Amino acid sequence: MKIIIVGATSVGTDLAEYLVQAGHAVTLIDHPSEELSQIANRLDLRVVQGDPTWPSVLREAGARNTELLVATSPQDEVNIAVCSVAHALFNIPRKIARMRAPDFLSEADKLFGDQAIPIDHIISPEHLMAAAVVDLMELPGSTAFHSFAKDRITIAAATCVAGGKLIGAQILDLENYDGKCKVLAVYRNGRALTKLENHTLHIGDEVFFCAERIRALNLISALMPLRPTGKHVVIEGGTHVADALALRLSQRYQVKLIEPDPRRVARISDHFRNSKVELYSADASNLDFVMEEKLYQTDTFIAASPKEESNIMSSLMVQRLNKVHTIAIIRQHAFQDIALAGSEIDAIVSPREVIISALLSHILQDSVEKMRIFKQGQAEALELLVQGTTRSSYVVGRKIEDLNLPSGVSFGLALRDKKVVTMDKNFVFADGDYITAFLNDRAHMRALVKLFKPRAFWLPRW
């Protein structure tokens, strides 16, 4: 696929890197800069330097033959202008734009679409990150979590802790613990185990499993003792993500937002005036402040500041003071490794994984309904729609053992006619199934998607 990405932001460059590795022809547009030149040397893509809203720049980038444009500029107005020019002059068929201004997002249904501003999908990183943190709070104990198949099925991960009911038992015993469940992968000391039927669960193992969403929490309780959840939440702020998260959580929890910059407090105070959020101007990693305000007595501490070091230090501080449940937003891989090293921070949320997953769910076609990156991008989960007949599909009417699958692929559960079914050895693929799959190595994703893509002569049902 020929793709133009506008904006050499962290989102834009991460997306470009992933799409290049997946075999797409990518062109990156942004204003001239040394960073843009370095990207051209590092990645196998084309770089066009200039104002992306100018028709001449889009023309130079090959807009006439482009199938998809993704606008990731930090300025909403630039993204809107780029998509409008791409539609009016070059008729690019699909356009995705990053938006962050509440004014645009609150009226997105009226502003964007075929009969309005020509943008097919809107991505709000702040809202996506807030939703990812809320998911982890609703499934305490999970280190990763995502919903599939109309939110009926979830893929979750949890780390085995002493006191878990199945510690020492066979790994596959989890599949019979409560309801429909499939173990997808188990990582021990950072490496995926093979032949899971030959292994028992050890303390420190990270288990990825697929289950009915309503059963997921009870399955996690088999891997670790669950702590009672409370209603008090402290958020270390300083970012748009923290602001969005505080407003969203304040509808269900008692929220304190700690903002380290007094000037930013003055700017955002009106934003919280009619909410239940308690806004503080302080440093959440300052021990004196933590003790004075008794932040260590909160139920959940969320570190969402723009500084990786501060997120790690403040999370470790409150966790060591009172075993507070901690969630930290960590952007860089190196800091994620540091944060996970001692297993003291309960969950790490990676903006790269969350945002790139959302973008790819809109970009990837060929039977892909949704996807989610895990393990710093090394593994991923897919929701695939089975389409066709026994003549037009490579999988319809066949069992899993009959397929020539790439290595490292594990199937989870399927949604068939509104019913969740287990994909066991007797499962036969049928037209209309929504299935979940997990890949230990994302390099095999294209081969798996190609297998589920109907043959060229297949025509969909109308």
Side-chain angles (χ1 to χ4, degrees):
M1 184 187 299
K2 293 183 179 179
I3 301 170
I4 289 177
I5 297 176
V6 174
T9 59
S10 59
V11 172
T13 53
D14 284 344
L15 178 64
E17 182 177 2
Y18 187 97
L19 292 173
V20 166
Q21 292 175 356
H24 298 282
V26 177
T27 299
L28 181 63
I29 305 176
D30 208 338
H31 294 278
S33 67
E34 182 179 346
E35 182 182 357
L36 194 61
S37 301
Q38 292 175 351
I39 293 171
N41 295 328
R42 183 168 58 89
L43 300 178
D44 184 18
L45 48 71
R46 186 180 174 213
V47 167
V48 174
Q49 302 191 43
D51 190 328
T53 63
W54 289 5
S56 59
V57 174
L58 286 170
R59 188 175 288 111
E60 182 185 350
R64 289 197 182 280
N65 299 314
T66 293
E67 300 164 75
L68 169 69
L69 182 142
V70 185
T72 68
S73 161
Q75 297 176 296
D76 294 354
E77 295 80 4
V78 170
N79 293 335
I80 290 173
V82 169
C83 290
S84 298
V85 174
H87 174 80
L89 294 183
F90 306 106
N91 199 30
I92 294 178
R94 297 175 62 211
K95 296 162 288 294
I96 301 173
R98 169 183 178 171
M99 290 286 151
R100 75 188 321 171
D103 277 1
F104 288 133
L105 294 172
S106 62
E107 303 191 54
D109 292 342
K110 298 177 182 178
L111 282 172
F112 308 110
D114 294 337
Q115 306 302 320
I117 299 173
I119 299 176
D120 300 290
H121 299 289
I122 295 296
I123 293 293
S124 169
E126 290 77 20
H127 288 189
L128 289 170
M129 289 297 298
V133 174
V134 170
D135 282 343
L136 289 173
M137 290 186 63
E138 292 182 348
L139 196 62
S142 60
T143 57
F145 174 85
H146 200 68
S147 293
F148 296 89
K150 303 175 182 178
D151 290 335
R152 295 283 305 280
I153 296 172
T154 185
I155 290 178
T159 301
C160 294
V161 176
K165 300 171 185 176
L166 289 183
I167 302 301
Q170 294 293 315
I171 288 176
L172 296 186
D173 285 351
L174 183 66
E175 296 186 347
N176 301 315
Y177 185 77
D178 182 27
K180 298 179 178 70
C181 172
K182 287 292 294 293
V183 177
L184 301 173
V186 177
Y187 293 86
R188 182 172 295 166
N189 299 322
R191 294 188 176 185
L193 298 179
T194 59
K195 297 183 179 180
L196 298 181
E197 65 275 9
N198 297 333
H199 294 278
T200 58
L201 289 168
H202 292 187
I203 293 173
D205 287 352
E206 186 178 23
V207 181
F208 279 82
F209 64 88
C210 181
E212 296 174 274
R213 180 168 178 142
I214 58 174
R215 305 285 188 182
L217 186 60
N218 199 35
L219 288 162
I220 289 177
S221 73
L223 305 176
M224 63 167 59
L226 292 183
R227 294 178 290 185
T229 56
K231 289 292 184 180
H232 298 274
V233 177
V234 171
I235 302 173
E236 179 182 9
T239 61
H240 293 290
V241 172
D243 300 345
L245 188 58
L247 286 174
R248 180 163 179 172
L249 291 177
S250 65
Q251 300 172 13
R252 295 180 53 189
Y253 299 89
Q254 297 180 30
V255 177
K256 293 181 179 179
L257 176 61
I258 316 301
E259 172 58 57
D261 185 352
R263 293 170 297 180
R264 193 170 190 276
V265 171
R267 292 200 305 270
I268 67 174
S269 56
D270 286 343
H271 191 47
F272 294 99
R273 191 174 301 280
N274 296 322
S275 74
K276 296 180 180 179
V277 176
E278 296 180 37
L279 183 60
Y280 292 79
S281 178
D283 181 357
S285 61
N286 184 296
L287 181 58
D288 291 336
F289 174 73
V290 170
M291 300 301 291
E292 180 181 345
E293 294 296 329
K294 299 182 179 179
L295 299 188
Y296 57 88
Q297 292 183 353
T298 190
D299 298 302
T300 302
F301 181 87
I302 302 170
S305 84
K307 297 180 179 179
E308 321 277 54
E309 304 95 322
S310 179
N311 288 343
I312 294 173
M313 292 302 298
S314 56
S315 298
L316 291 176
M317 183 189 304
V318 296
Q319 208 279 340
R320 290 177 181 179
L321 284 172
N322 197 32
K323 300 294 183 182
V324 173
H325 181 252
T326 53
I327 300 173
I329 295 177
I330 307 293
R331 294 159 185 82
Q332 298 182 46
H333 286 174
F335 282 107
Q336 290 178 20
D337 293 336
I338 293 171
L340 292 171
S343 301
E344 292 182 270
I345 299 176
D346 294 289
I348 299 294
V349 180
S350 165
R352 179 181 186 272
E353 291 182 4
V354 172
I355 298 167
I356 299 302
S357 295
L359 284 166
L360 290 173
S361 293
H362 292 305
I363 292 172
L364 299 175
Q365 294 177 306
D366 297 340
S367 302
V368 178
E369 295 292 303
K370 190 182 289 188
M371 68 91 63
R372 179 65 159 87
I373 297 172
F374 297 109
K375 302 290 291 183
Q376 299 183 359
Q378 298 307 306
E380 61 188 37
L382 297 173
E383 177 188 334
L384 298 165
L385 174 60
V386 179
Q387 301 176 88
T389 65
T390 53
R391 292 186 58 194
S392 62
S393 169
Y394 297 102
V395 299
V396 171
R398 304 176 70 184
K399 295 182 178 181
I400 294 175
E401 61 186 18
D402 298 329
L403 304 182
N404 184 22
L405 292 170
S407 61
V409 174
S410 302
F411 288 106
L413 303 179
L415 185 65
R416 173 177 293 172
D417 298 328
K418 299 182 180 180
K419 183 179 179 181
V420 176
V421 296
T422 303
M423 298 181 67
D424 56 19
K425 63 180 181 180
N426 296 316
F427 179 85
V428 177
F429 293 96
D431 179 47
D433 287 347
Y434 291 89
I435 68 160
T436 53
F438 186 90
L439 295 88
N440 276 326
D441 184 351
R442 74 180 192 190
H444 299 301
M445 184 270 290
R446 292 179 67 190
L448 180 65
V449 171
K450 184 178 180 180
L451 183 64
F452 280 82
K453 180 182 178 181
R455 291 182 170 93
F457 60 80
W458 176 77
L459 293 175
R461 294 174 298 180
W462 299 97

